[in-house]
């Protein structure tokens, strides 16, 4: 939380809003999850959440009104670093991320197939920023201003946002052409 607090202080002078969030990797696998709707209290209440099973994390998220989105769910593994990510059961997820990072092995065609099978689930977009050329490759734009992470989670739940990609533009169009 220290980095979050420092980022908030630095952002104030530029009028930038910083919301707490979490990318979570559980010890039971290599998959990553994005948690939308958390606050500082969530992190303090569940400091060892990464040690839990996906089943338990999904239960906590539902109890705490937190969205559980699988990040880059079909990303290729990296030799000597990680195994290939696999899409997890829809019964535990609120949605998936269409990751737009180039040269990242996202296999978004597999994600699109999952989205077709689960049209009631949320879809977000991101860049998974690890290298400078990943900046701004994918993002979401809310249809109204949000003041905090809970409002952002509500905006996602209400589907009052659009996903964008540097490569494809508005991803809603991309999703529709791949139905």
């Amino acid at each position: 939380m220290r980095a979050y607090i420092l980022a908030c202080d630095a952002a104030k002078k530029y009028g930038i809003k910083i919301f707490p969030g979490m990318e979570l990797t559980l010890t039971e696998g290599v998959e990553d999850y994005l948690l939308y709707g958390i606050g500082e209290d969530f992190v303090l209440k569940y400091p060892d959440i990464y040690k839990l099973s996906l089943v338990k994390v999904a239960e906590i998220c539902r109890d705490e009104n937190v969205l559980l989105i699988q990040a880059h769910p079909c990303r290729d593994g990296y030799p000597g670093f990680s195994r290939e990510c696999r899409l997890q059961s829809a019964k535990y997820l609120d949605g998936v991320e269409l990751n737009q990072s180039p040269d990242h092995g996202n296999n978004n065609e597999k994600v699109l197939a999952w989205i077709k099978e689960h049209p009631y689930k949320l879809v977000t977009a991101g860049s998974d920023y690890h290298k400078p050329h990943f900046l701004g490759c994918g993002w979401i734009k809310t249809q109204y201003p949000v003041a905090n992470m809970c409002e952002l989670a509500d905006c996602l739940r209400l589907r009052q946002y659009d996903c964008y990609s540097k490569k494809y533009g508005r991803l809603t169009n991309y999703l529709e052409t791949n139905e």
Side-chain angles (χ1 to χ4, degrees), residues 116-169:
K116 281 185 200 176
E117 291 176 30
H118 309 283
Y120 53 93
K121 295 293 183 176
L122 299 172
V123 179
T124 65
S127 292
D128 202 16
Y129 182 79
H130 291 279
K131 299 176 184 175
H133 68 283
F134 289 5
L135 180 64
C137 291
W139 64 94
I140 61 170
K141 181 180 178 185
T142 61
Q143 294 173 4
Y144 56 87
V146 294
N148 56 51
M149 182 51 106
C150 290
E151 286 184 17
L152 176 59
D154 287 341
C155 184
L156 294 175
R157 277 186 196 92
L158 296 170
R159 298 176 189 271
Q160 295 182 334
Y161 68 99
D162 289 301
C163 295
Y164 287 87
S165 162
K166 186 189 294 184
K167 182 176 179 179
Y168 298 107

Side-chain angles (χ1 to χ4, degrees), residues 24-136:
L24 176 64
T25 306
L26 304 176
T27 55
E28 70 178 14
V30 297
E31 289 75 24
D32 298 316
Y33 305 93
L34 305 170
L35 277 59
Y36 289 94
I38 70 166
E40 294 177 51
D41 56 328
F42 183 90
V43 176
L44 298 173
K45 188 173 179 181
Y46 303 104
D48 295 328
I49 194 169
Y50 66 95
K51 295 178 183 178
L52 302 175
S53 68
L54 177 57
V55 174
K56 183 64 177 167
V57 170
E59 181 183 306
I60 289 169
C61 287
R62 282 180 179 74
D63 290 347
E64 298 284 346
N65 202 30
V66 170
L67 291 174
L68 180 62
I69 307 290
Q70 188 173 351
H72 46 68
C74 296
R75 182 184 63 193
D76 289 338
Y78 297 102
F81 177 66
S82 70
R83 297 184 318 261
E84 182 178 324
C85 295
R86 292 188 321 238
L87 274 160
Q88 300 301 298
S89 173
K91 67 182 173 184
Y92 305 121
L93 302 174
D94 293 303
V96 292
E97 173 197 46
L98 269 173
N99 191 285
Q100 300 301 304
S101 298
D103 60 286
H104 205 103
N106 290 308
N107 296 304
N108 279 337
E109 66 282 350
K110 293 178 185 177
V111 183
L112 289 168
W114 187 92
I115 291 166
K116 281 185 200 176
E117 291 176 30
H118 309 283
Y120 53 93
K121 295 293 183 176
L122 299 172
V123 179
T124 65
S127 292
D128 202 16
Y129 182 79
H130 291 279
K131 299 176 184 175
H133 68 283
F134 289 5
L135 180 64

